[in-house]
Structure formats: C-alpha cells, structure tokens
Amino acid sequence: MDRQQKRARLDLGTNVAATSAAHGPLLAPGFSDLIQPGCNPFNGKPYSRRYHDILRGRKELPVYGFLERLLDAVKNNQTVVVEGETGSGKTTQIPQFLVKDYARRGSKCVACTQPRRVAAMSIAQRVADEMDVQLGEEVGYSIRFEDTTGPNTLLKFMTDGMLLREAMSDPFLERMSVIVLDEAHERTLSTDVLMGLLKELLQQRKDLKCVVMSATLDAEKFQTYFEGAPLLRVPGRTFPVEIFYTPEPERDYVEAAVRTAAQIHACESAGDILVFLTGEIEIEDVCQRLRNEAQKCGPERGELVVYPLYSSLPPRQQKRIFDKAPGPRVAGGMPGRKVVVSTNIAETSLTIDGIVYVVDPGFSKQKVYNPRIRVESLLVSPISRASAKQRAGRAGRTRPGKCFRLYTEASFKSELQEQTYPEILRSKMSNVVLTLKKLGIDDLVHFDFMDPPAPETLMRALELLNYLGALDDDGALTDLGRQMAELPLDPQLAKLLLASPEYKCSNEALSVVACMSVPQIFQRPRQKQREADDAKNQFAHRDGDHPTLLNAYHAYKHHHSDPAWCSENFLSSRSLASADSVRQQLQRIMERLNIPLVSTPFDDPDYYVNLRKCILAGNFLQVAHLERGGSYLTVKDNQVVALHPSTVLDSKPPWVCYEEFVLTSRNFVRTCTAVECRWLCEIAPHYYDLQNFPKGEAKVALERCYRQIMAERAKE
DNA sequence: GAGCACTGC
C-alpha cells in the first residue's frame, strides 16, 4: 500500500466512528429545497404511509450512519471500496443514496451490478419500495430476457454479465455516472472483466465514479487494485456462530455428515439444520440415510423432515425447503425440525431462514481448466477459509447458531487456502477474449486483470478464435468475429449459427443451439431410468445426439409446449421453455445481423446431413476418431475418450463431433454426432491440414480421404 | 453403460 492510500484509509477511519454514532440527514444539502416538503423528490408525489414505515427500519441498518461519509469519499475519489458484511444494508442503501447526487432524469443513472438475476430483480423491487416509486420507472432492473428500465430510470440494477454486454454497444457507458459493483468478492468472470474495463474507462472518463462493494476479508485487495481508493468499513449485523471442529480428520466425510446431523437432531435444542455436500447423488444418498437415522429417535425428539437441494431439482421441490418444520409429536415433546442437504447453492444463491446448525464437511465441486488438453472439468476439492466462513454464517441469520466443521482446526488454519481461486483462473478464456476484442482491447497480455489468467490459457483462446475465423493471424477481430461477439454463446456455437445459411439449416441450427444452451432437456430420475431411456428413444436419430435434440424440440413445439406432455415423456419443460426464450433471442440477433433464416425441406434426404455438416462447421475442433483398438482418440490432443453412455449412437462411427469433454470416472465425450472424414477435409481444411497433424490412425485416414478428393477432382 | 457445483449473456 502506498502512502497516499494509507492516508486515505486513515482519514476515513478516524471519522467513521463519529458519523456512525449520529445519524446524518438523508437528503444531500440543497436537494430538499427543490421539492415540496413531504413530497418524494424522485417523482414529486406525496409519500405513502408505507414509505415512513420502511424508513424507520432503514434507519436501524448499520450502513445508515455511514452514508454521508460515503458520499464525501465518492465526491473526492473516482473509486471507493466498501467492505460490509451480511446485514449491513449496503446493497439496498448505498445505490439509492448515490442517486440524489449522481443521477439526472433522462441523462445519467446509477447502475448496480449483481452476480445473479434473482438478486437484481428482488433488490430492485425492494429499493423501489423504499424510494416509494413504481418499479420500472425511477428504479428498474435489466437482466437477460427482461429489461424494466426506461427513460425515467435513475437507478438500474443489473447482472454483471448484462453490464458487460451493454458496454459492447456503449463502450464509454455514457448513460452512467456511477457504477456500483456489488458482491465483488465473489469474483465472477464478468465482475473481473468489468473491473479491468472500468479501471481503463476511469482514466478516460474523469466524471465516472465507481463503488466496489465486497464482503470482508479481501477488500484490501480491491483497494490495492484500484490504486488510492479509500476503504470504507461497514459493520454487519448477524448473530454469533459457535464453531466446532473434529479432533481428528474424518476419513469419510459423507458418513461423518450423516452422523453429525443425526447427533444434532438427537441432542441439540430446537432449530433447523443445513448440511453442505458436493452433488446430487451424494445428497440423495445422505437424505435417505438421514430418514433412516431419524426413525431411531424416540417420539419425544419430534419429527425430522429431510429436504435435498440442488439446482437441477424441479422448482416445486426446491421451494419445499422453505416449509416450516413440524410441531412436537407428543405433548411437551420437542418440536420437529428440518434438515436441508444442499450443494453450494445454499452458500450464496439461496438463503434459508431459521437455520441454526450448519454441518460443513469442507468440500465442494469446483470447475478447473486444463489448457493443455483444453478441458474444463468439475473436481471435488477442499473449500477455502472464506467459503467456510460464509457457510458458518448461514447458521446465524435469525439467532445465535452452531457450525460443525468436519475437519480439524489445524487443517482449517494451515491447509485451506484463504480465498477460492477466482473463476477467471479456472475457466477457458475464449469467450472473454472475444468480448474484450469486441470492446476494443487489443493488447490482452497487458490488460490489467486483477488476477491475470495463465498465458497458456490466453494462447489457447486466441488459437481457437483464429481457427474459427474470428481473429485474423495478427489477432485482430474479423467481420465474422464481430458478428460472433454479438451472440451470447460460446464462440463455437456462435460460429455454427453464423455458418448455418451455408448449410441451409439456420432454423434447425437455432433450435439445436438453443437446446444446448440450457440445462439438460432429457430427464432421468433414479427410480425410472428405464422408462426415461425409452422415452428418449422416441426422439433418437441414428446419426447422433444433435439431431435427437432437434427432434425432441420439434415434438415439444408440436405438443404446444405442454408441461404435462413433457413430464410424461421425461423432458424438462423448464429447460425447454428457456430454450424457447434463448431461441427467440438468438433469432432476433440473427435477423439484426441480416443472416438469412433458411431451411432444407424436411423430406429432402439432406435435411439431417446439412445440419450435421453445420454442427461440424462450429465444432470441428471437437472431433474424435475411432482407433483400431475400439476406443476413440480426440483429434490433435490425442486424449483417449469413450462416447458418453447417454448417447443415442448405438454403433461406433469412425468419426464423431462432440459438444463437450467430461472428466468423471473416465474421459467421456458428450452430445455426439457422427460426421464423415470428407466433411472434415471440406469444412475445415485449415485445421485438418496434414502438415500440422500428429502421426496416427486419424492422419492416415485423412491422407486417404484427401487423395480420394484429389483423384475425383482430376477426373472432372 | 453413467452422472451434471454454481452463475451469466
């Protein structure tokens, strides 16, 4: 920390105590003169009774006494870092407080980003209520598929990804006077890119202000990154949580989790339990075991209701976690309690009130990226100390709680890393690179990322974009690349769509791409796997999973998107409905880009062939060749893979083009479609170039194919 | 012949 920063922090630090004691005036000086007394300055209407009710509660928030101080800091600095824990009220109070000085109707607004859609929506509603205005007028939100903002908007809540997209059409963010980045400590890919972008933009737009809000722990890292930014610390308001560690390391964390939850139910006083685990299968297993354990308790302990929680659970079952725990079973007995067994979804995305006990085995599934073989995969890994603290905090939202960590205190202190690696260090960069190029950032190597991705990861992204034709050999964005960046898709899928008119299948490509951009549309409940497989076979196309997706989507439309029909046929109507929204959005963008929307007639023998060629036009880097031994080798990377058992392909075609590489018990390729060697030579000769092709059976087959093509051409 | 942590555009 340099001297200037240190001084800035001290200045704030000394004054903070004084202002927190005395609640300063809410309106900025001079502002209240402009309006009728008792009227809402934002819309000139008299305040409702509810406004005053809510205001009383707002004045109790820890952040309330800091607001004037914050305004001072923002006035005197371009960037301010705010550190505030859960319950401080920073998310709702700070953005609306800035509106008074920094937003002007019809010209400038305050924007506040959130990592999640639900948060953007619900916070916007809450703040609109607090400001006593109609949601969609002075306060609105903007998320994918929904924009409630308009010409009167003074305060706009949006997802971080949405702001990034807006920056593409408005690189100087000219409509905005203050950008508030909330939940910056989560370090989502979009927030990290935005921070780098804002750091540059702040140099160019001296009138732009930026407030970076983070939970405790690493606010100083943000302060260092935004050189000279003052740090404002706001206390939180939560209840104490007592932490317990195991004296010895646990060999089997699943077993330990069951035992601990059962013990809490048997011995501890009333209050609900939250157990963190890593995935669906583990969770369903533990739920079953807990139901069995609960039977062993006497009736005086009350009933134990067990709920699983993970994102692919149908919404109706997800909502059950909010049901109240049952009362006592016998007069004078203990009330019942609920135990929620959850993935990380309960760590940040979903808050369950009434949790008093947390069981934390210390693991979660985390994305990792291996640039060498270009594979993103999920790995069960130890969580960070920050994550452990967040989990424990879930026990103290309504009253004092207890957290049982299923690891030793020594390993908490010495083995867990302080922070989870930010997503940008664990992801492929192809999409980020395309976005940055589109935003006019040419020199990616010197772009000021808070945590720069590995050079090899960036190289892989540049290479991929070059092969796809999005970047030329000098790394400059091509016309195709500019169009690809407009589509909210991975570059391969964007390329596939843009190539679709060439293969006379734009409408079909749109449907397939939409289905691939949503969670799995085929459902396979554990109890009914056979029935589900039979249902899927109705849609199966012998040449692969992509045509099968198209068939299922068509059947869905043919049955008028009927949810009952979906569930009879083991299709997720939730996924298909969102595929429909995605498809509409993509179609609108294609129309705007003047990409012709064409189809091959369904009775044409080339209907599916054209689609398969088009799939290959986007996915030609994801191809595997069947080797003599019977296993597949991925092209160029030479990874041994097997077709994922979910594939509809029942024979093993010599060449398959796949959507993703999944690393679980073995290496699998998922969503596979048979392609022909010839197509590789015709569609992607620059990639299937014999000069740069590793020796092996695939190369031999390609050589044979090229010779054949030459011979045919000679004959013509 | 087997899983898919969580977001977001």
Side-chain angles (χ1 to χ4, degrees), chain A residues 117 144 159 311 365 524 664-665 670:
Chain A
R117 300 162 50 101
R144 189 183 191 179
T159 47
S311 73
K365 275 192 190 169
R524 199 166 185 259
T664 50
S665 53
R670 198 159 45 186

Short mmCIF file of all heavy atoms in Angstrom, two decimals, chain A residues 117 144 159 311 365 524 664-665 670, chain B:
data_model
loop_
_atom_site.label_atom_id
_atom_site.label_comp_id
_atom_site.label_asym_id
_atom_site.label_seq_id
_atom_site.Cartn_x
_atom_site.Cartn_y
_atom_site.Cartn_z
N ARG A 117 -29.37 -13.12 -11.35
CA ARG A 117 -30.60 -12.48 -11.84
C ARG A 117 -31.61 -12.24 -10.73
O ARG A 117 -32.17 -11.15 -10.63
CB ARG A 117 -31.27 -13.36 -12.90
CG ARG A 117 -30.45 -13.66 -14.10
CD ARG A 117 -31.00 -14.88 -14.86
NE ARG A 117 -32.42 -14.76 -15.09
CZ ARG A 117 -32.95 -14.38 -16.25
NH1 ARG A 117 -32.19 -14.11 -17.27
NH2 ARG A 117 -34.26 -14.28 -16.39
N ARG A 144 -31.00 -10.68 -18.60
CA ARG A 144 -31.27 -11.30 -19.89
C ARG A 144 -32.76 -11.59 -20.02
O ARG A 144 -33.37 -12.08 -19.09
CB ARG A 144 -30.50 -12.62 -20.00
CG ARG A 144 -30.56 -13.21 -21.38
CD ARG A 144 -29.84 -14.54 -21.44
NE ARG A 144 -29.68 -14.97 -22.81
CZ ARG A 144 -29.08 -16.10 -23.16
NH1 ARG A 144 -28.59 -16.90 -22.26
NH2 ARG A 144 -28.97 -16.42 -24.43
N THR A 159 -27.46 -7.62 -13.92
CA THR A 159 -26.45 -8.64 -13.71
C THR A 159 -25.12 -8.13 -14.26
O THR A 159 -25.10 -7.29 -15.17
CB THR A 159 -26.84 -9.93 -14.43
OG1 THR A 159 -27.24 -9.60 -15.75
CG2 THR A 159 -27.97 -10.65 -13.72
N SER A 311 -29.49 -27.49 -7.89
CA SER A 311 -30.13 -26.63 -8.90
C SER A 311 -30.99 -27.39 -9.88
O SER A 311 -31.99 -26.87 -10.36
CB SER A 311 -29.08 -25.84 -9.65
OG SER A 311 -28.40 -26.70 -10.52
N LYS A 365 -17.72 -29.05 -5.29
CA LYS A 365 -17.26 -29.30 -6.65
C LYS A 365 -16.84 -27.98 -7.25
O LYS A 365 -17.57 -27.00 -7.20
CB LYS A 365 -18.37 -29.92 -7.50
CG LYS A 365 -18.44 -31.42 -7.33
CD LYS A 365 -19.33 -32.06 -8.37
CE LYS A 365 -19.54 -33.51 -7.99
NZ LYS A 365 -20.60 -34.14 -8.80
N ARG A 524 -33.76 -37.95 -16.23
CA ARG A 524 -33.54 -39.37 -15.96
C ARG A 524 -33.57 -39.62 -14.46
O ARG A 524 -32.53 -39.76 -13.81
CB ARG A 524 -32.20 -39.79 -16.56
CG ARG A 524 -32.09 -41.29 -16.74
CD ARG A 524 -30.90 -41.60 -17.65
NE ARG A 524 -30.84 -43.01 -17.94
CZ ARG A 524 -30.01 -43.87 -17.34
NH1 ARG A 524 -29.19 -43.46 -16.40
NH2 ARG A 524 -30.02 -45.14 -17.66
N THR A 664 -15.03 -37.69 -15.63
CA THR A 664 -15.61 -38.21 -14.38
C THR A 664 -14.88 -39.49 -14.02
O THR A 664 -13.71 -39.45 -13.73
CB THR A 664 -17.13 -38.43 -14.54
OG1 THR A 664 -17.38 -39.18 -15.72
CG2 THR A 664 -17.85 -37.11 -14.59
N SER A 665 -15.59 -40.62 -14.04
CA SER A 665 -14.89 -41.87 -13.76
C SER A 665 -13.90 -42.19 -14.88
O SER A 665 -12.87 -42.81 -14.67
CB SER A 665 -15.91 -42.99 -13.60
OG SER A 665 -16.76 -43.03 -14.71
N ARG A 670 -19.53 -35.97 -24.71
CA ARG A 670 -20.99 -35.96 -24.59
C ARG A 670 -21.62 -35.13 -25.70
O ARG A 670 -21.02 -34.17 -26.17
CB ARG A 670 -21.38 -35.39 -23.22
CG ARG A 670 -22.80 -35.74 -22.84
CD ARG A 670 -23.04 -35.65 -21.36
NE ARG A 670 -22.47 -34.45 -20.79
CZ ARG A 670 -22.45 -34.22 -19.48
NH1 ARG A 670 -22.91 -35.11 -18.66
NH2 ARG A 670 -21.94 -33.11 -19.02
P DG B 1 -20.16 -51.47 -21.98
OP1 DG B 1 -19.23 -51.13 -23.05
OP2 DG B 1 -19.83 -52.38 -20.88
"O5'" DG B 1 -20.77 -50.15 -21.32
"C5'" DG B 1 -20.06 -48.93 -21.19
"C4'" DG B 1 -20.93 -47.98 -20.40
"O4'" DG B 1 -22.30 -48.06 -20.89
"C3'" DG B 1 -21.01 -48.32 -18.91
"O3'" DG B 1 -20.87 -47.10 -18.19
"C2'" DG B 1 -22.39 -48.90 -18.71
"C1'" DG B 1 -23.19 -48.20 -19.79
N9 DG B 1 -24.36 -48.96 -20.26
C8 DG B 1 -24.48 -50.30 -20.43
N7 DG B 1 -25.65 -50.67 -20.89
C5 DG B 1 -26.35 -49.49 -21.04
C6 DG B 1 -27.67 -49.24 -21.48
O6 DG B 1 -28.51 -50.06 -21.87
N1 DG B 1 -27.98 -47.88 -21.48
C2 DG B 1 -27.12 -46.88 -21.08
N2 DG B 1 -27.59 -45.65 -21.14
N3 DG B 1 -25.88 -47.10 -20.66
C4 DG B 1 -25.57 -48.41 -20.66
P DA B 2 -20.31 -47.33 -16.67
OP1 DA B 2 -18.86 -47.57 -16.75
OP2 DA B 2 -21.17 -48.25 -15.89
"O5'" DA B 2 -20.58 -45.86 -16.11
"C5'" DA B 2 -19.95 -44.75 -16.72
"C4'" DA B 2 -20.75 -43.50 -16.42
"O4'" DA B 2 -21.95 -43.49 -17.23
"C3'" DA B 2 -21.22 -43.38 -14.97
"O3'" DA B 2 -21.09 -42.02 -14.60
"C2'" DA B 2 -22.69 -43.76 -15.03
"C1'" DA B 2 -23.07 -43.23 -16.40
N9 DA B 2 -24.20 -43.91 -17.02
C8 DA B 2 -24.37 -45.25 -17.22
N7 DA B 2 -25.49 -45.56 -17.84
C5 DA B 2 -26.09 -44.33 -18.07
C6 DA B 2 -27.30 -43.97 -18.68
N6 DA B 2 -28.14 -44.86 -19.21
N1 DA B 2 -27.60 -42.65 -18.74
C2 DA B 2 -26.75 -41.77 -18.21
N3 DA B 2 -25.58 -41.99 -17.61
C4 DA B 2 -25.30 -43.31 -17.57
P DG B 3 -19.81 -41.63 -13.74
OP1 DG B 3 -18.59 -42.07 -14.40
OP2 DG B 3 -20.10 -42.06 -12.36
"O5'" DG B 3 -19.86 -40.04 -13.83
"C5'" DG B 3 -20.73 -39.34 -13.01
"C4'" DG B 3 -21.45 -38.32 -13.85
"O4'" DG B 3 -22.56 -38.98 -14.54
"C3'" DG B 3 -22.07 -37.21 -13.05
"O3'" DG B 3 -22.26 -36.11 -13.92
"C2'" DG B 3 -23.43 -37.81 -12.66
"C1'" DG B 3 -23.80 -38.50 -13.95
N9 DG B 3 -24.64 -39.68 -13.82
C8 DG B 3 -24.37 -40.86 -13.18
N7 DG B 3 -25.32 -41.74 -13.29
C5 DG B 3 -26.27 -41.10 -14.07
C6 DG B 3 -27.52 -41.56 -14.53
O6 DG B 3 -28.05 -42.66 -14.37
N1 DG B 3 -28.18 -40.59 -15.29
C2 DG B 3 -27.70 -39.34 -15.56
N2 DG B 3 -28.46 -38.54 -16.29
N3 DG B 3 -26.54 -38.89 -15.13
C4 DG B 3 -25.88 -39.83 -14.40
P DC B 4 -20.93 -35.38 -14.61
OP1 DC B 4 -21.26 -35.29 -16.03
OP2 DC B 4 -19.81 -36.22 -14.17
"O5'" DC B 4 -20.70 -33.93 -14.10
"C5'" DC B 4 -21.08 -33.46 -12.88
"C4'" DC B 4 -22.33 -32.64 -13.02
"O4'" DC B 4 -23.02 -32.92 -14.25
"C3'" DC B 4 -23.34 -33.01 -11.93
"O3'" DC B 4 -23.29 -32.00 -10.94
"C2'" DC B 4 -24.69 -32.99 -12.61
"C1'" DC B 4 -24.39 -32.65 -14.04
N1 DC B 4 -25.20 -33.45 -15.00
C2 DC B 4 -26.55 -33.69 -14.76
O2 DC B 4 -27.04 -33.26 -13.72
N3 DC B 4 -27.28 -34.38 -15.66
C4 DC B 4 -26.72 -34.83 -16.77
N4 DC B 4 -27.48 -35.50 -17.64
C5 DC B 4 -25.33 -34.59 -17.05
C6 DC B 4 -24.63 -33.90 -16.15
P DA B 5 -23.47 -32.42 -9.51
OP1 DA B 5 -22.75 -33.66 -9.37
OP2 DA B 5 -24.79 -32.26 -8.89
"O5'" DA B 5 -22.63 -31.19 -9.08
"C5'" DA B 5 -23.12 -29.90 -9.44
"C4'" DA B 5 -22.75 -28.97 -8.34
"O4'" DA B 5 -21.34 -28.74 -8.45
"C3'" DA B 5 -23.41 -27.62 -8.51
"O3'" DA B 5 -24.66 -27.64 -7.89
"C2'" DA B 5 -22.39 -26.74 -7.77
"C1'" DA B 5 -21.09 -27.38 -8.24
N9 DA B 5 -20.61 -26.81 -9.48
C8 DA B 5 -20.73 -27.31 -10.75
N7 DA B 5 -20.19 -26.56 -11.67
C5 DA B 5 -19.69 -25.49 -10.95
C6 DA B 5 -18.99 -24.34 -11.33
N6 DA B 5 -18.65 -24.07 -12.58
N1 DA B 5 -18.64 -23.47 -10.35
C2 DA B 5 -18.98 -23.74 -9.09
N3 DA B 5 -19.62 -24.80 -8.60
C4 DA B 5 -19.95 -25.64 -9.60
P DC B 6 -25.92 -27.03 -8.68
OP1 DC B 6 -27.07 -27.13 -7.76
OP2 DC B 6 -25.96 -27.63 -10.00
"O5'" DC B 6 -25.55 -25.48 -8.84
"C5'" DC B 6 -25.38 -24.70 -7.67
"C4'" DC B 6 -24.64 -23.44 -8.02
"O4'" DC B 6 -23.37 -23.73 -8.61
"C3'" DC B 6 -25.31 -22.62 -9.12
"O3'" DC B 6 -26.44 -21.95 -8.63
"C2'" DC B 6 -24.17 -21.67 -9.46
"C1'" DC B 6 -22.98 -22.63 -9.41
N1 DC B 6 -22.59 -23.12 -10.77
C2 DC B 6 -21.79 -22.33 -11.59
O2 DC B 6 -21.42 -21.24 -11.17
N3 DC B 6 -21.45 -22.79 -12.81
C4 DC B 6 -21.89 -23.97 -13.23
N4 DC B 6 -21.51 -24.38 -14.46
C5 DC B 6 -22.73 -24.79 -12.43
C6 DC B 6 -23.06 -24.34 -11.21
P DT B 7 -27.61 -21.59 -9.61
OP1 DT B 7 -28.85 -21.54 -8.87
OP2 DT B 7 -27.46 -22.42 -10.84
"O5'" DT B 7 -27.20 -20.09 -9.92
"C5'" DT B 7 -26.70 -19.77 -11.15
"C4'" DT B 7 -25.76 -18.62 -11.04
"O4'" DT B 7 -24.43 -19.09 -11.11
"C3'" DT B 7 -26.00 -17.71 -12.21
"O3'" DT B 7 -26.87 -16.70 -11.81
"C2'" DT B 7 -24.59 -17.25 -12.54
"C1'" DT B 7 -23.75 -18.48 -12.20
N1 DT B 7 -23.59 -19.45 -13.32
C2 DT B 7 -22.65 -19.17 -14.28
O2 DT B 7 -21.95 -18.17 -14.24
N3 DT B 7 -22.55 -20.12 -15.27
C4 DT B 7 -23.28 -21.28 -15.41
O4 DT B 7 -23.07 -22.05 -16.34
C5 DT B 7 -24.27 -21.51 -14.39
C7 DT B 7 -25.11 -22.74 -14.45
C6 DT B 7 -24.37 -20.60 -13.41
P DG B 8 -28.04 -16.34 -12.83
OP1 DG B 8 -28.84 -15.33 -12.13
OP2 DG B 8 -28.66 -17.58 -13.34
"O5'" DG B 8 -27.26 -15.67 -14.05
"C5'" DG B 8 -26.45 -14.53 -13.78
"C4'" DG B 8 -25.63 -14.24 -15.00
"O4'" DG B 8 -24.64 -15.26 -15.20
"C3'" DG B 8 -26.42 -14.23 -16.30
"O3'" DG B 8 -27.04 -12.97 -16.44
"C2'" DG B 8 -25.30 -14.42 -17.30
"C1'" DG B 8 -24.33 -15.34 -16.57
N9 DG B 8 -24.44 -16.74 -16.98
C8 DG B 8 -25.27 -17.69 -16.44
N7 DG B 8 -25.15 -18.86 -17.02
C5 DG B 8 -24.19 -18.65 -17.98
C6 DG B 8 -23.62 -19.55 -18.93
O6 DG B 8 -23.90 -20.75 -19.10
N1 DG B 8 -22.67 -18.92 -19.72
C2 DG B 8 -22.30 -17.61 -19.63
N2 DG B 8 -21.37 -17.19 -20.48
N3 DG B 8 -22.81 -16.77 -18.76
C4 DG B 8 -23.73 -17.35 -17.97
P DC B 9 -28.15 -12.80 -17.48
OP1 DC B 9 -28.82 -11.54 -17.19
OP2 DC B 9 -28.91 -14.06 -17.58
"O5'" DC B 9 -27.34 -12.62 -18.83
"C5'" DC B 9 -26.53 -11.47 -18.98
"C4'" DC B 9 -25.89 -11.54 -20.32
"O4'" DC B 9 -25.10 -12.74 -20.40
"C3'" DC B 9 -26.91 -11.65 -21.46
"O3'" DC B 9 -27.03 -10.38 -22.07
"C2'" DC B 9 -26.29 -12.65 -22.43
"C1'" DC B 9 -25.08 -13.20 -21.73
N1 DC B 9 -25.06 -14.68 -21.67
C2 DC B 9 -24.22 -15.37 -22.53
O2 DC B 9 -23.52 -14.74 -23.31
N3 DC B 9 -24.21 -16.73 -22.47
C4 DC B 9 -24.98 -17.36 -21.61
N4 DC B 9 -24.93 -18.69 -21.58
C5 DC B 9 -25.85 -16.66 -20.72
C6 DC B 9 -25.87 -15.33 -20.78
#
